[in-house]
Amino acid sequence: MSRLQVSRRRLLTGVAAAGGVAAFAGPWRYTRVYAQGAAKPIRIGITSDATGQYANSGASDRRGMQMAIAEANARGGVLGRKIEFVHLDTETTPATGSRVAERMITRENCGFLIGAIHSGVANAISQVAQKYGVIYLNTNSSAPSEAGANCHRTKFVWDANGTNFAKASVKAAIEKFGKKWVLLTNDYVWGHSTAAATKALLKEYGGQMAEEILVPQGTRDFSSQLLKIQQINPGVVAAAIGGDDQKAMRQQIAQLGMGNKPVWLNNQQDWPDVYGLPLDNLFGMFGTTWYYNLDLPGVAEFVKRYQAMFPDTAMRVPGNVFYNGYWATRELFAAIERAGSTNNIKVIKALEGHKMSARDRMQHHDAWIDPVTHQVQQTIYQATANVGTKDKDDMFKIIANTSPQEAMDSDAAGACKLESYEATPTFDA
């Protein structure tokens, strides 16, 4: 856990130091800045979990944002303005997410909101952000509804969603491992919408859903669900289980010797959920958007920057959650520079349709921000355990990649109805 980890509901205001790590300052910072006649800082509200099911991922998400902020400040800021950030714990709870977003905008003077793991929390934050016209970057929540029915003009979705990951894996898994499937689903919006995407693809490619087992958030004992799976004896279990729930599930499956049969297909594998687990817990196949050991230009240098900035964190290499937090924040700053302004409509237009090269993003295919749904369309990777590795950090073996065109969520465009520019309140940070 990073030394920048915050306690429950504790407010932190930070200014990223020019040399690297973030330095924290109190309200007196404004008095000094204005007394010097410097430009007003740009305030970023970091809306990530520090407690709850996704606390580990929330910490990784923040580290990505903090590194992007530190690098921007080391270059002199954005439009000549330094970047400050405020973090409040969203607690993996939608109601808290709403309160945090409201406070950051109305009391903490944040001009942009960044962060989320839980899709229900992200949806709650985005409704508040749209009400005020504040741009919100949903960095890491993956429900298809985030770029579909719950899209907003001010919201941009940086992670791949459950449909993207399912399109990259379901057809091949049916062909290789059989048509009889069980779905194991976290009982909230991400789980339900991801399972719906899997069901549609099963129907399209001739698979059979023997049963869907719903798993409440916060489940730590999976014995009843695993017994039912043994009784059904499917060829594949498609799991949409996240955070600490997934860690507990993986440990119990390994203890029961069920890791090899049936085949486990985890829709998406976030790095903080498995980092440090024994490799026998990392059974099956799973999706991700990035891996720290990809043989691509820039990856090794990126990892070194991470390790230099966070020398004390137990997670010695960055994963997909850090990657998303970093790139969302970096591209926000680049969009402000392209717009030449912090006016929300100008920045939104600078983000919509923006293309990002594979080389810059350290992926295999070029990425872009879909102007219709505001989701980043990007490479999807399929991975499995890197059995036999002598490097404890090198846990994944990448076995395939899918282009954004092949993995695109075609249903999102029909479900998403972005507010017009005119109906979106004007906001300038």
Side-chain angles (χ1 to χ4, degrees):
M1 196 62 75
S2 166
R3 61 183 172 186
L4 296 173
Q5 174 70 49
V6 297
S7 61
R8 184 177 181 88
R9 296 193 180 184
R10 184 183 175 192
L11 173 64
L12 295 179
T13 302
V15 181
V21 297
F24 296 100
W28 60 85
R29 185 69 178 181
Y30 290 109
T31 303
R32 190 173 71 177
V33 167
Y34 293 141
Q36 293 172 341
K40 175 185 175 183
I42 296 174
R43 296 266 285 176
I44 304 293
I46 295 179
T47 56
S48 63
D49 299 341
T51 53
Q53 181 176 345
Y54 291 109
N56 286 335
S57 286
S60 188
D61 197 18
R62 285 194 299 284
R63 286 193 287 268
M65 301 169 209
Q66 289 162 354
M67 191 165 98
I69 291 169
E71 290 177 352
N73 279 335
R75 295 190 296 268
V78 177
L79 300 180
R81 298 166 63 182
K82 287 292 184 180
I83 310 298
E84 294 184 352
F85 67 83
V86 176
H87 170 242
L88 285 171
D89 182 9
T90 48
E91 301 177 334
T92 318
T93 306
T96 304
S98 293
R99 292 195 298 272
V100 162
E102 188 84 28
R103 173 171 175 169
M104 284 182 164
I105 295 168
T106 63
R107 295 174 58 186
E108 303 300 332
N109 301 312
C110 294
F112 302 92
L113 303 182
I114 310 178
I117 307 295
H118 187 286
S119 295
V121 174
N123 181 34
I125 294 168
S126 71
Q127 292 178 49
V128 176
Q130 180 64 32
K131 180 176 74 171
Y132 290 101
V134 171
I135 291 173
Y136 166 54
L137 307 185
N138 170 1
T139 48
N140 274 290
S141 67
S142 310
S145 52
E146 277 298 283
N150 294 332
C151 69
H152 291 290
R153 181 65 68 178
T154 56
K155 176 166 67 177
F156 292 83
V157 180
W158 288 84
D159 199 5
N161 68 30
T163 300
N164 303 137
F165 288 113
K167 282 196 166 185
S169 60
V170 169
K171 181 180 179 183
I174 291 172
E175 294 171 350
K176 188 170 183 179
F177 303 116
K179 297 181 178 181
K180 187 179 180 181
W181 288 41
V182 165
L183 274 59
L184 195 60
T185 304
N186 253 158
D187 192 7
Y188 77 102
V189 61
W190 168 69
H192 289 298
S193 53
T194 294
T198 302
K199 293 172 192 175
L201 290 169
L202 282 174
K203 184 177 181 180
E204 180 177 352
Y205 296 120
Q208 172 198 356
M209 188 186 76
E211 188 162 347
E212 180 178 13
I213 303 171
L214 296 180
V215 179
Q217 292 181 77
T219 295
R220 295 296 176 268
D221 181 1
F222 284 81
S223 55
S224 63
Q225 291 92 343
L226 296 179
L227 176 60
K228 185 175 288 188
I229 288 168
Q230 286 178 322
Q231 293 169 343
I232 296 170
N233 192 28
V236 178
V237 177
I241 307 292
D244 290 342
D245 292 7
Q246 185 194 143
K247 185 176 292 187
M249 179 192 77
R250 282 190 171 279
Q251 290 170 335
Q252 289 167 44
I253 290 168
Q255 289 167 3
L256 291 172
M258 292 177 62
N260 294 324
K261 190 177 185 308
V263 172
W264 293 83
L265 184 65
N266 210 69
N267 183 272
Q268 177 183 6
Q269 185 58 72
D270 283 342
W271 188 237
D273 293 347
V274 294
Y275 184 81
L277 289 179
L279 276 183
D280 67 355
N281 285 192
L282 200 59
F283 44 79
M285 297 188 303
F286 38 86
T288 188
T289 53
W290 188 78
Y291 187 53
Y292 87 96
N293 211 15
L294 289 171
D295 186 18
L296 292 172
V299 172
E301 193 273 336
F302 184 75
V303 173
K304 288 179 182 177
R305 297 200 325 261
Y306 168 89
Q307 292 172 335
M309 183 159 180
F310 303 104
D312 297 333
T313 184
M315 194 175 293
R316 296 307 310 138
V317 293
N320 63 303
V321 173
F322 175 92
Y323 172 89
N324 287 336
Y326 174 86
W327 277 103
T329 309
R330 175 170 162 163
E331 289 294 345
L332 170 64
F333 298 155
I336 294 170
E337 294 279 5
R338 289 195 303 274
S341 171
T342 52
N343 172 270
N344 64 333
I345 301 301
K346 291 180 180 179
V347 177
I348 287 169
K349 290 181 177 179
L351 286 166
E352 289 175 334
H354 177 59
K355 296 179 180 178
M356 298 161 282
S357 73
R359 185 179 182 89
D360 285 347
R361 276 180 57 85
M362 302 174 292
Q363 292 180 318
H364 280 76
H365 302 277
D366 291 346
W368 70 93
I369 301 174
D370 191 322
V372 176
T373 65
H374 286 189
Q375 184 191 7
V376 174
Q377 306 298 330
Q378 61 184 300
T379 308
I380 305 296
Y381 294 95
Q382 285 296 306
T384 190
N386 189 17
V387 177
T389 182
K390 299 187 185 310
D391 183 347
K392 65 178 183 179
D393 290 329
D394 193 12
M395 299 175 67
F396 287 8
K397 179 180 179 181
I398 302 296
I399 56 178
N401 72 76
T402 303
S403 73
Q405 292 87 350
E406 294 174 286
M408 185 174 287
D409 180 1
S410 54
D411 293 335
C416 173
K417 306 297 180 187
L418 295 175
E419 296 87 350
S420 68
Y421 301 119
E422 294 74 20
T424 299
T426 300
F427 186 96
D428 199 318

